[in-house]
Amino acid sequence: MEVMMGKLAETNAANSTVKSLGAMMVTDHTKANDELKQWASAAGYTLPAALDAEKQKMYDDLKAKRELILTRNILILW
């Protein structure tokens, strides 16, 4: 979810600081997700392929909001 939220901030935020935060979220959480996938694979564990319904709804709701509300909510979620 953090990677998706970071991409949303990068593309939709007007504030350069929020755009930078979004980029950092994408970079950091992509790396962490890749490491987790490697660990899970080695341990024989299957990670979920998609968000659960609650998190998907949260993402969809934020995606539909105007930039100002998006910026505030991204920072709150961070």
Side-chain angles (χ1 to χ4, degrees), residues 7 22 35 57 59:
K7 287 179 182 178
E35 291 172 5
K57 181 178 180 339
Y59 173 78

Side-chain angles (χ1 to χ4, degrees), residues 12-13 15 20 23 26 31-32 35 38 50-51 54 67-68 71:
N12 294 348
N15 183 296
S20 295
V26 170
K31 181 181 176 191
E35 291 172 5
Q38 288 178 354
L51 296 176
E54 179 184 353
E67 185 276 327
L68 178 61
T71 298

Side-chain angles (χ1 to χ4, degrees), residues 27-69:
T27 300
D28 292 352
H29 287 277
T30 297
K31 181 181 176 191
N33 288 345
D34 290 344
E35 291 172 5
L36 178 61
K37 287 175 190 173
Q38 288 178 354
W39 173 85
S41 177
Y45 184 77
T46 302
L47 296 171
L51 296 176
D52 63 36
E54 179 184 353
K55 286 187 174 79
Q56 185 65 52
K57 181 178 180 339
M58 182 187 306
Y59 173 78
D60 292 341
D61 289 347
L62 283 174
K63 189 175 179 181
K65 293 186 186 291
R66 294 176 170 250
E67 185 276 327
L68 178 61
I69 295 170

